[in-house]
Amino acid sequence: MIKFSEGSVVVPGEAVAEGKEYRIGQGFYRVGEKVFASRLGILRIKEEDNFIYLVPLTGVYNPREGDTVIGKIEDFHSLGWRIDLFCPYSAMLMVREVPGYVPAGELDKVFDIGDLVCVKITKVTNNKMIDVSMNGPGLFKLNEGRIIKISSQKIPRVIGKQGSMVNMLKDKTGCKVIVGKNGLIWTKGEPKTEIIVNEAIKMIEDLSHTSGLTDRVAEMLDKKMEEYNKNKG
Amino acid sequence: MVYKKRLDGRKFDELRDIEAKVGVIKNADGSAFFKIGNTHAYASVYGPKKLYTRSMQDPKSGIITCKYNMMPFSGAGGRVRPGGNRRSKEISMVTENVFKDLIDLSEYPNAVVEVYIELPQTDAGSRCCGICAASLALADAGIPMKSLVGAIAVGLVDEKVVVDLTYEEEHYPEFAKDKITSEHVADIPLAFIPGSDKIFLLQMDGVISKKSLIEALEVGKKAADKIFDIQVKALKEKYNVEE
């Protein structure tokens, strides 16, 4: 028996379900018959296979293989750069993972400390050593534009189902947008449209636990863009 | 004369007024405000983040550090000297021990979670208030933990078991209005996981009989459950969920 409905907020130590027929996923633990939540999040139920799991509402970024992230160059090593991923662990970018020629001993000519780069995580070990790569489409150094940081747990809402939300942001404002899974979002376009995108992202972050968000954001974007076009012309 | 009516007119098992709020400090990863009577506590949580005292790093699991601080103007008497003292060191340690077994940082090797508890105003039961605030702040920061924890002081005042003592009750012989039968006052801070018998904090000041202690623990457990309900409400309020 599940005591809460799908989509309700549960807090640590709350008895969520009773009975052994449920399989439990991330965010729950079992004591005897009872199932308790172990972190603050939203309850999700898969009725067909008696499976319950929890989508966290807060928390730091947990690096995973295959994620595209935005990082900051932190330090030089003999064979690469150390990159701050804005989570408890930093990543290593080897010289061979960077396209193009890198002169030996002159790594700072390519990326200097404080530069922002868009990279892909290729490997995460059990003791949280992270390797990243820049070989691949859409991975490059971020030279211009605007960066904004939000909670990494809200990133799935910014992306939306099959990228619906981020594509809408791009289409309606004409900005380039890159969403890093670690909570950093880069935008580039007309300065004023960049601000509109950032406002929309802030709105998504504040209202991320509500439903029907895409429509509300679309409405807000239409209004702002209309104003922008009027002032421009 | 046995203690018949409490100095502030409460029932013997009645708590002081409680208020809890989550997300009060913007720059922290998790934060909470907890108030019980005239004792106010702010807790903020930072992390998990890199631990730069490398000798303290644990490659198997993350660690937690707590800092309890009474602000200089917080006491009922004179100014408290700022900075640490032996009392704040002890309370920081017991708070750390409460959460050490409660939170699970095996996912975050070599990392640290920092908890800061600040008390702008204190009456009595400040360590319990601090623990309640810290557990809310840890949940708000998204740290995996077994449960929220409810902490409360119980005690014996003039041969009567009471819950949530005030400063006047802790020093009952000074403030008593009637003639007293017993000089002894016991003050027992407790921390419970709701709905279980697991004790995470048990300290004592004073003298108490075995029978009274068992009675006091039972009363404390019920009080901790009440606090848990208030904490749950406060956390859900942040996300505008009505129940």
Side-chain angles (χ1 to χ4, degrees):
Chain A
M1 188 190 65
I2 299 172
K3 289 172 186 162
F4 294 93
S5 57
E6 151 99 23
S8 51
V9 176
V10 292
V11 307
E14 235 180 352
V16 174
E18 213 171 337
K20 285 195 170 155
E21 67 269 30
Y22 295 105
R23 288 195 304 119
I24 52 174
Q26 176 214 15
F28 292 107
Y29 68 97
R30 198 172 242 142
V31 177
E33 293 262 302
K34 282 184 176 170
V35 175
F36 294 93
S38 71
R39 57 191 295 191
L40 180 68
I42 290 172
L43 174 70
R44 292 270 176 247
I45 305 164
K46 276 187 184 165
E47 293 264 345
E48 60 270 25
D49 36 2
N50 271 343
F51 183 63
I52 55 175
Y53 65 104
L54 187 142
V55 179
L57 277 168
T58 53
V60 295
Y61 171 63
N62 195 15
R64 283 205 189 159
E65 270 178 45
D67 282 359
T68 304
V69 292
I70 294 173
K72 199 187 216 171
I73 306 287
E74 203 179 43
D75 199 0
F76 304 113
H77 287 262
S78 56
L79 288 171
W81 296 264
R82 186 145 288 279
I83 293 180
D84 182 12
L85 292 184
F86 300 89
C87 78
Y89 308 98
S90 54
M92 189 73 192
L93 176 65
M94 305 297 268
V95 165
R96 65 162 186 273
E97 301 286 359
V98 176
Y101 174 67
V102 180
E106 292 180 12
L107 293 179
D108 58 328
K109 293 255 168 78
V110 183
F111 303 132
D112 208 350
I113 286 174
D115 285 352
L116 288 165
V117 286
C118 180
V119 290
K120 193 169 205 158
I121 297 178
T122 49
K123 192 164 188 191
V124 183
T125 65
N126 276 347
N127 19 351
K128 302 280 175 182
M129 292 198 228
I130 307 166
D131 286 337
V132 293
S133 165
M134 267 180 94
N135 286 325
L139 305 175
F140 51 87
K141 181 177 159 188
L142 306 173
N143 282 320
E144 299 160 311
R146 201 177 282 263
I147 205 101
I148 182 174
K149 185 166 181 356
I150 65 166
S151 163
S152 66
Q153 308 290 351
K154 313 264 161 90
I155 287 293
R157 286 316 295 267
V158 176
I159 294 170
K161 271 178 194 148
Q162 272 116 39
S164 60
M165 186 74 89
V166 70
N167 285 337
M168 188 187 76
L169 287 174
K170 283 179 195 167
D171 294 343
K172 285 206 193 285
T173 60
C175 281
K176 276 186 190 170
V177 181
I178 291 180
V179 182
K181 282 276 174 73
N182 57 345
L184 267 73
I185 300 166
W186 176 79
T187 43
K188 191 189 157 192
E190 292 289 314
K192 278 190 179 151
T193 54
E194 281 174 5
I195 293 171
I196 293 172
V197 174
N198 284 5
E199 275 171 14
I201 290 166
K202 275 268 187 284
M203 180 182 167
I204 297 167
E205 190 190 15
D206 290 343
L207 303 171
S208 65
H209 55 284
T210 57
S211 56
L213 198 53
T214 316
D215 297 337
R216 263 187 283 173
V217 174
E219 199 181 304
M220 176 254 188
L221 278 178
D222 284 337
K223 217 167 114 191
K224 291 260 172 183
M225 284 311 289
E226 201 182 311
E227 218 169 274
Y228 166 73
N229 287 328
K230 216 159 78 188
N231 290 340
K232 201 171 101 187
Chain B
M1 274 245 288
V2 180
Y3 197 38
K4 267 186 191 155
K5 192 160 184 275
R6 290 182 80 166
L7 293 172
D8 53 4
R10 275 182 291 151
K11 287 178 204 148
F12 288 106
D13 61 347
E14 193 181 336
L15 301 168
R16 288 175 283 177
D17 288 337
I18 299 178
E19 203 185 305
K21 225 183 214 171
V22 176
V24 287
I25 298 161
K26 212 178 146 194
N27 281 355
D29 290 318
S31 60
F33 167 68
F34 196 86
K35 171 186 144 189
I36 179 156
N38 286 328
T39 307
H40 296 203
Y42 285 92
S44 52
V45 171
Y46 297 85
K49 60 181 191 179
K50 268 181 224 166
L51 176 52
Y52 275 122
T53 317
R54 297 217 26 169
S55 59
M56 280 164 74
Q57 281 186 356
D58 183 353
K60 287 262 178 224
S61 142
I63 65 162
I64 178 168
T65 60
C66 295
K67 193 146 193 217
Y68 166 99
N69 184 33
M70 256 166 85
M71 289 182 177
F73 46 83
S74 64
R79 178 179 138 96
V80 184
R81 265 182 81 89
N85 52 30
R86 296 183 74 148
R87 183 175 168 275
S88 74
K89 243 184 188 174
E90 177 218 322
I91 297 175
S92 300
M93 190 198 75
V94 296
T95 311
E96 216 171 282
N97 287 346
V98 167
F99 292 113
K100 217 183 241 170
D101 300 329
L102 209 58
I103 65 175
D104 174 22
L105 292 175
S106 57
E107 283 269 303
Y108 303 101
N110 294 332
V112 63
V113 174
E114 287 173 349
V115 181
Y116 295 97
I117 301 163
E118 294 283 341
L119 295 118
Q121 183 181 328
T122 58
D123 185 352
S126 65
R127 74 191 69 192
C128 295
C129 188
I131 289 170
C132 290
S135 90
L136 276 176
L138 281 164
D140 184 36
I143 313 281
M145 60 203 287
K146 267 185 205 148
S147 171
L148 293 171
V149 57
I152 192 70
V154 291
L156 194 73
V157 177
D158 213 357
E159 296 175 349
K160 186 86 191 167
V161 171
V162 294
V163 66
D164 199 11
L165 286 78
T166 58
Y167 181 81
E168 281 83 7
E169 282 175 330
E170 282 184 357
H171 302 82
Y172 187 63
E174 278 174 46
F175 291 93
K177 284 172 190 151
D178 306 318
K179 222 169 128 258
I180 51 172
T181 45
S182 161
E183 284 279 318
H184 298 305
V185 174
D187 174 28
I188 310 167
L190 279 171
F192 270 106
I193 272 194
S196 82
D197 292 334
K198 281 180 187 152
I199 296 173
F200 282 80
L201 171 73
L202 178 61
Q203 291 184 295
M204 191 174 91
D205 240 359
V207 180
I208 196 167
S209 68
K210 189 180 167 187
K211 200 182 134 220
S212 304
L213 177 63
I214 291 167
E215 195 190 330
L217 287 177
E218 279 303 315
V219 176
K221 214 163 103 180
K222 274 180 205 150
D225 283 350
K226 275 183 209 159
I227 291 176
F228 178 69
D229 292 339
I230 292 164
Q231 286 174 323
V232 170
K233 221 177 120 199
L235 271 172
K236 290 193 175 177
E237 239 166 43
K238 192 187 170 187
Y239 296 96
N240 301 323
V241 181
E242 282 153 22
E243 268 201 327

